[in-house]
Amino acid sequence: MQNQIRIADLLQADTIVIPLKARTKEAVLDELIDRLDEAGRLNSREEMKAAIMAREAQGSTGIGEGIAIPHAKTAAVKQPSICFGLSPEGIDFDSLDQQKAHLFFMIAATAEADSAHLETLALLSQMLMEDDVRQRLLSASTREQVLEVLTRKEREIRGEEKESAVELTEHSTFSAKIVAVTACPTGIAHTYMAADALKKKADELGIAIKVETNGSGGVKNKLTAQDIAEATAVIVAADKQVEMERFAGKTVIEVRVAEGIRNPERLLERALKQEGPVYQAEKRERYEQRDAGNAHGQKRESYFYKHLMNGVSNMLPFVVGGGIIIALSFMFGIKASDPNDPSFHPLAKLLMDIGGGSAFALMIPVLAGFIAMSIADRPAFAPGMVGGMLATSAGAGFLGGLIAGFLAGYVIVLLRKLFSRLPASLEGIKPMLLYPLFGVLITGFLMIFVVSGPVAAINTALGGWLKNMSAGNAVLLGMVLGAMMAFDMGGPLNKAAFTFGIAMIAEGTYTPHAAVMAAGMTPPLGLALATTLFKQKFTPEERQAGKTAYVLGATFITEGAIPFAAADPTRVIPSIMVGSAVAGGLSMFFGCTLPAPHGGLFVLPVVGNVGMYIVSILAGTVVTALMLRVLKKDVADHVLMHHHG
């Protein structure tokens, strides 16, 4: 290994902070980013902060044992670096961990970090699993002592590599063999730490193990078909989707990546006893609920919502990107994209073609495709996309897309059962020929002859009802639209109100859509405010989600409220409906207008009467939070404190 990168190349005296001044999580992150910036390791402090916070929003990088490893792989990093900070007093870093964090390693990887850098970071992760390394770092009082502890341990590990690198699976003395996959969204630290924790504990217990890592450097130590066939059970410690089809027929224990770091012994014991569901491709729901969620006493997430959210999360980039591009085209004039209009501008048409003609046109097919894929894996993706496309062309809209996604998913589940009787020699042609052919054909047939007509009629009827009402009472209309936006947060009623707003824009009436957008921002913002002001009403997981909900609300992603509503629908849904009705009613009362088919901070420049628009949203947010204060019960102390299960 001539091109080895050593930890001392990445962590140097000018990126060590002893002691940290910060006393809160965000202040620690700021202090470490500032040190990296001062040391000339960053191109942009702001972009680095955004990347670090985006990673934290996906799940805390606190890993237990008093350690946190915030990390990002981004173009904001000029030179790959590690910044170390020591807090003798400790900081509450992870809401699920009662233990304070004292040791902070901020990993700054360049966007094109190569495998040599990633292997060095994996080595650091491995070192931090050693008790003696942690103790010596905690007692360090100078930068030199920190570097000495880490470089000495690195030399020790690299020197022993030849002896210790014998693959555990080759030890014939082991009586059982476990295979595992580790993966985190960024793929820098947690992926490798979970792998090291599992390997180390397996070695102690005399268990043969092979761990595949799905890191940012790609898949390493990939499990072969033979590895999987010989395994007693499979452990999947991952916070992102990994390839699961290969585990059909095996006991699969699926947990969050942090569980792999914190509780490797418990996971290995469960794997040995085969305490877990058998993975069956056509019955994904039998294993999909994460053990970590169960351990924290959370209610089982509704499978409908799980599949729905898989569609929505993949659709949102099309909605957000397309919506803002359409809003930009409106800055040239509402009809500036129409070649036959006097206000025509070629750039407006270009923007409309990109935003409306492409991004928005793909929105419903993508939603349907990923809902179908969530239900029945890759074979359902093509039928779902085609079903979504047919829903769009028939005017069945969002509701039609939802139905298309679920329809395609369950058509493939049915086909799997029917084709399971075919001879084994035909196994290879199922995914390439049979599923696409019959899946697309059956889904398409049902969409055209059964679903699209009635759903398009429902959409038209709802639009007509709302339109007739608009003449009567504008404020009442705003309140009804607002309550509809909040009722099912991205479901049929929400989308009916949204579609009505878009239809009104097309007819040159811009007040209803302003009410719709204000009401759509209110549920996540109100819940976020409630998690900040009334902490006793929410679990630690919900409080963490509340921080993300501020961002989701500000960018008009009403779906940010779904996790809260799924956990406590009878109290959350009435609260957000009242708050959204207030926001929608006030927006109509103040005569706010919005010509863009999207909401959030991005469209404020094109809002008419923007001051009162912001007042409407804030009023709805405060009302939602106060309603939650009154309706929601306090979370019992034992639920707050019990987090390791």
Side-chain angles (χ1 to χ4, degrees), residues 139-444:
S139 57
S141 56
T142 67
R143 297 168 175 185
E144 289 68 29
Q145 285 173 341
V146 171
L147 290 169
E148 168 65 18
V149 170
L150 295 171
T151 47
R152 183 185 297 175
K153 190 68 189 177
E154 181 177 18
R155 280 198 299 271
E156 187 185 310
I157 291 174
R158 290 202 193 271
E160 292 173 2
E161 245 176 3
K162 300 260 189 304
E163 293 79 30
S164 66
V166 181
E167 185 60 56
L168 287 175
T169 54
E170 292 168 5
H171 285 245
S172 56
T173 53
F174 290 123
S175 58
K177 177 178 171 183
I178 307 295
V179 294
V181 181
T182 61
C184 88
T186 316
I188 295 178
H190 289 56
T191 304
Y192 303 106
M193 296 189 81
D196 289 328
L198 287 165
K199 284 182 198 166
K200 186 179 168 192
K201 189 56 70 177
D203 212 357
E204 284 174 25
L205 299 173
I207 302 167
I209 191 166
K210 180 172 180 182
V211 186
E212 171 184 304
T213 54
N214 284 14
S216 58
V219 173
K220 296 279 170 68
N221 210 25
K222 190 168 177 66
L223 300 177
T224 65
Q226 186 180 348
D227 291 328
I228 296 164
E230 291 171 359
T232 308
V234 181
I235 296 169
V236 177
D239 284 347
K240 68 173 187 177
Q241 201 163 357
V242 298
E243 191 190 330
M244 297 293 294
E245 286 287 309
R246 53 196 167 147
F247 303 135
K250 305 299 292 188
T251 298
V252 174
I253 296 152
E254 199 184 6
V255 295
R256 296 197 179 283
V257 71
E259 285 293 297
I261 301 168
R262 290 174 176 161
N263 297 318
E265 188 167 359
R266 172 83 184 110
L267 289 175
L268 290 163
E269 284 170 2
R270 287 183 58 195
L272 287 178
K273 294 175 188 168
Q274 295 190 316
E275 283 180 14
V278 173
Y279 176 85
Q280 291 177 311
E282 67 273 15
K283 294 183 182 170
R284 298 186 67 178
E285 56 269 26
R286 286 181 55 181
Y287 72 90
E288 273 193 321
Q289 177 61 30
R290 295 200 181 266
D291 298 68
N294 293 339
H296 301 321
Q298 295 170 337
K299 292 185 180 182
R300 287 178 68 82
E301 192 181 3
S302 140
Y303 291 115
F304 173 81
Y305 271 126
K306 188 178 188 318
H307 302 318
L308 173 65
M309 287 310 290
N310 195 52
V312 168
S313 62
N314 283 290
M315 176 190 79
L316 283 175
F318 293 87
V319 179
V320 175
I324 293 164
I325 292 166
I326 290 169
L328 291 174
S329 89
F330 286 148
M331 288 184 175
F332 294 94
I334 298 304
K335 296 186 176 174
S337 59
D338 180 359
N340 301 318
D341 195 84
S343 65
F344 174 69
H345 192 291
L347 186 55
K349 184 181 186 311
L350 177 74
L351 291 168
M352 185 59 80
D353 288 347
I354 296 168
S358 301
F360 262 41
L362 285 166
M363 185 170 76
I364 303 299
V366 165
L367 170 82
F370 280 97
I371 288 174
M373 193 170 167
S374 176
I375 294 166
D377 251 336
R378 269 185 228 169
F381 186 64
M385 288 283 284
V386 172
M389 199 77 188
L390 289 167
T392 304
S393 59
F398 187 86
L399 181 55
L402 280 184
I403 294 169
F406 283 97
L407 180 65
Y410 288 111
V411 162
I412 295 296
V413 169
L414 179 66
L415 289 175
R416 273 212 177 102
K417 288 197 170 118
L418 292 174
F419 294 155
S420 63
R421 300 187 180 89
L422 292 176
S425 58
L426 295 175
E427 198 64 37
I429 70 162
K430 285 183 191 175
M432 291 306 297
L433 175 66
L434 299 181
Y435 292 140
L437 172 61
F438 289 101
V440 169
L441 192 63
I442 294 167
T443 305

Side-chain angles (χ1 to χ4, degrees), residues 60 62-68 89-104 131 134-135 138 262 641 643-644:
S60 172
I63 58 164
E65 304 295 345
I67 304 168
E89 300 82 7
I91 284 146
D92 290 321
F93 196 85
D94 184 349
S95 59
L96 300 181
D97 195 352
Q98 288 167 283
Q99 196 177 351
K100 287 180 183 284
H102 297 273
L103 304 173
F104 298 88
D131 291 335
R134 292 197 300 271
Q135 289 309 318
L138 279 169
R262 290 174 176 161
M641 302 313 293
H643 67 279
H644 277 307

Side-chain angles (χ1 to χ4, degrees), residues 123 215 234 410 428 454 469 540 594:
L123 184 70
V234 181
Y410 288 111
M469 187 184 169
L594 174 60

